[in-house]
Amino acid sequence: MDLRTRLILSLSPLILALFIFGLLAFFTQQRVAQAIDKVDRVARDLIEVAQSESLILLEQYNVSEIIAGHQRDRSMIEPQRATIRSFLSEYTNKGNGSFVELELAARFEVMVAQHDAALTVFDRGDREEALAMISSNDYHRNIRAIHSLVIGAQREYEVQYLQEISRLERIVNEGFWIGATVAGVTTVLAITLAVTLIWQVGKHVDRLTADAERLIQTEPTGQLSPIGSINQLQRLRDAFQHLLDTINQRQQQLTAAMQAQQAQLARELELQATIRALSLPVIPLGENTIFLPLIGHLDAERGKQLEQTLLDAIQQRRVRKVVIDVSGLATFEEETLQTLIRVGQGARLLGAQSILVGVRADQALHFTQLPYGLFTYARNIPAALTMNT
């Protein structure tokens, strides 16, 4: 049997397990989503019942305060009633409410009627009668009944909530154990098939590996031993042999290429050094005067080269005057400013006077940041040459 076919057969249990996992995950996700939706719905019902009781008690408080004369604003009563009715109508209109919800809705409407009647009597000017109406036994009996109904509804929803949570846990546990069983069975089967395949191929691979190790320790241009009749292993042996021959050729080519690359790199380094020297030319302008034009960008590397080149030229030529042309500077940054300060201070310590020429209008404000007296300024090179040192 072909090696690829055997490998596919050894992996087939895992492929089957992935397919089963996909189906299991899909159906479990659907069941979990439905269970979570029911838990959410029951929790929302429980919260709405608690909110309904709070709003009912709030209306009772507001009506009592209005009749007692402690409050005049009645604008919040109708919005509160609308909210309570919207909570209760969700059950009565859909027909899925139990006796508790239906009785609670009826009791609430009775309380509303009692409050409206008391407020009507109060509006006529009879506060005592209105207070008596909201202090009667029937009124308080109805309030206690509302409270008892709310507690009953809450307990009912709590029981439903716990039931739905238990159902959700059961669904998750079922999915886990089914998945674990499938994974265990398919893994054992896949391992069995893989071990069989490894045992069949292992002896030929060991021979090929021993040949490769022998050639590595001796000469990389030797010949590998012939192996069995497995087509893939024979092709692997031929590929290794071709690889050994190719490596030997590539090593020779790489050696020649590295030598050429090293020579090219040495030439490039020499060229870069020449370019750097030409980018900062020190030009003599007399017996004790040198001229240095600055062109382009003065970055950190060029700044260090400028300092070293200029100070060496001052010391070697015993220069008394250094003329620096800054008209060719492309930018003027903080790094440029610090480089010029170091150059000026170094030239002063060596006994030379530094003169800046060619200051452009867009550079003038930047040069005001240089220390006073460190540089002398001239309009052009002839003017700088006529200045006394």
Side-chain angles (χ1 to χ4, degrees):
M1 184 180 294
D2 187 78
L3 183 60
R4 286 186 293 267
T5 304
R6 294 183 179 183
L7 182 60
I8 292 174
L9 288 177
S10 65
L11 295 177
S12 59
L14 297 179
I15 298 174
L16 179 61
L18 291 176
F19 177 74
I20 296 175
F21 277 142
L23 293 178
L24 180 63
F26 175 76
F27 289 109
T28 302
Q29 188 272 337
Q30 296 293 326
R31 296 178 63 192
V32 169
Q34 294 175 359
I36 291 176
D37 183 66
K38 290 183 180 180
V39 170
D40 180 69
R41 186 165 57 249
V42 173
R44 187 169 58 251
D45 293 341
L46 180 61
I47 293 173
E48 289 179 354
V49 168
Q51 290 178 342
S52 300
E53 182 185 23
S54 300
L55 292 175
I56 290 171
L57 295 177
L58 183 59
E59 177 174 346
Q60 179 189 10
Y61 172 77
N62 290 331
V63 170
S64 301
E65 290 293 301
I66 291 171
I67 295 176
H70 300 154
Q71 180 177 331
R72 296 184 179 181
D73 185 13
R74 303 185 187 183
S75 59
M76 78 291 293
I77 295 178
E78 287 303 325
Q80 293 171 0
R81 291 178 179 178
T83 303
I84 298 172
R85 289 191 177 105
S86 67
F87 288 161
L88 299 177
S89 64
E90 185 175 341
Y91 308 101
T92 56
N93 293 339
K94 294 181 181 180
N96 60 347
S98 63
F99 170 78
V100 176
E101 286 88 4
L102 297 176
E103 181 66 17
L104 179 60
R107 290 286 184 176
F108 171 70
E109 294 301 332
V110 170
M111 187 192 74
V112 170
Q114 291 173 339
H115 286 172
D116 290 341
L119 290 173
T120 302
V121 172
F122 174 73
D123 291 338
R124 293 174 183 172
D126 193 350
R127 176 179 295 174
E128 297 298 330
E129 180 62 23
L131 288 173
M133 293 176 67
I134 62 174
S135 302
S136 62
N137 292 331
D138 291 339
Y139 178 80
H140 286 291
R141 195 163 34 245
N142 187 59
I143 294 298
R144 288 193 295 272
I146 289 174
H147 180 67
S148 299
L149 290 170
V150 169
I151 293 177
Q154 288 178 340
R155 290 177 179 174
E156 179 180 343
Y157 288 133
E158 287 175 356
V159 172
Q160 294 180 12
Y161 180 79
L162 294 176
Q163 291 175 350
E164 295 299 333
I165 290 294
S166 300
R167 180 170 173 269
L168 177 60
E169 293 177 351
R170 185 171 62 256
I171 292 173
V172 173
N173 290 331
E174 289 176 357
F176 171 77
W177 286 113
I178 293 175
T181 302
V182 172
V185 173
T186 54
T187 301
V188 171
L189 183 58
I191 290 175
T192 302
L193 294 177
V195 169
T196 303
L197 179 62
I198 292 172
W199 180 81
Q200 293 176 350
V201 180
K203 57 181 181 180
H204 299 294
V205 175
D206 290 339
R207 178 182 296 179
L208 188 61
T209 303
D211 288 341
E213 292 175 346
R214 174 178 55 82
L215 291 175
I216 291 174
Q217 295 175 357
T218 57
E219 71 282 355
T221 57
Q223 294 294 320
L224 298 176
S225 301
I227 58 175
S229 60
I230 298 178
N231 295 333
Q232 286 81 4
L233 294 180
Q234 182 63 43
R235 290 173 58 189
L236 181 61
R237 183 262 175 199
D238 295 339
F240 274 138
Q241 185 62 58
H242 179 70
L243 180 62
L244 290 174
D245 299 337
T246 304
I247 288 174
N248 186 39
Q249 297 176 1
R250 292 289 176 86
Q251 284 179 345
Q252 297 176 359
Q253 295 173 358
L254 286 175
T255 301
M258 288 180 61
Q259 292 175 353
Q261 187 70 22
Q262 290 175 353
Q264 179 67 23
L265 180 60
R267 289 193 297 269
E268 290 182 356
L269 292 176
E270 293 176 357
L271 180 60
Q272 290 179 0
T274 303
I275 293 174
R276 285 195 298 268
L278 292 176
S279 65
L280 293 171
V282 177
I283 304 171
L285 294 180
E287 183 179 357
N288 297 319
T289 303
I290 59 175
F291 172 68
L292 177 65
L294 299 181
I295 300 172
H297 298 275
L298 194 60
D299 54 13
E301 183 177 357
R302 288 195 67 201
K304 292 181 180 179
Q305 184 181 358
L306 169 63
E307 297 170 12
Q308 187 66 35
T309 301
L310 185 59
L311 296 180
D312 288 345
I314 294 173
Q315 187 174 17
Q316 293 172 3
R317 299 172 183 265
R318 297 182 179 180
V319 172
R320 302 293 301 277
K321 183 186 297 185
V322 179
V323 181
I324 303 175
D325 186 2
V326 296
S327 60
L329 284 178
T331 58
F332 194 94
E333 301 175 349
E334 179 64 25
E335 192 170 352
T336 305
L337 177 67
Q338 296 300 324
T339 300
L340 289 176
I341 292 174
R342 289 193 296 271
V343 167
Q345 291 174 345
R348 175 184 291 178
L349 291 174
L350 294 177
Q353 177 187 5
S354 300
I355 304 174
L356 297 181
V357 299
V359 177
R360 302 194 307 267
D362 59 329
Q363 297 174 334
L365 291 179
H366 295 293
F367 282 98
T368 59
Q369 303 177 44
L370 294 173
Y372 178 77
L374 184 61
F375 289 95
T376 305
Y377 300 89
R379 181 179 298 273
N380 48 40
I381 296 175
L385 296 176
T386 59
M387 295 178 65
N388 295 325
T389 58

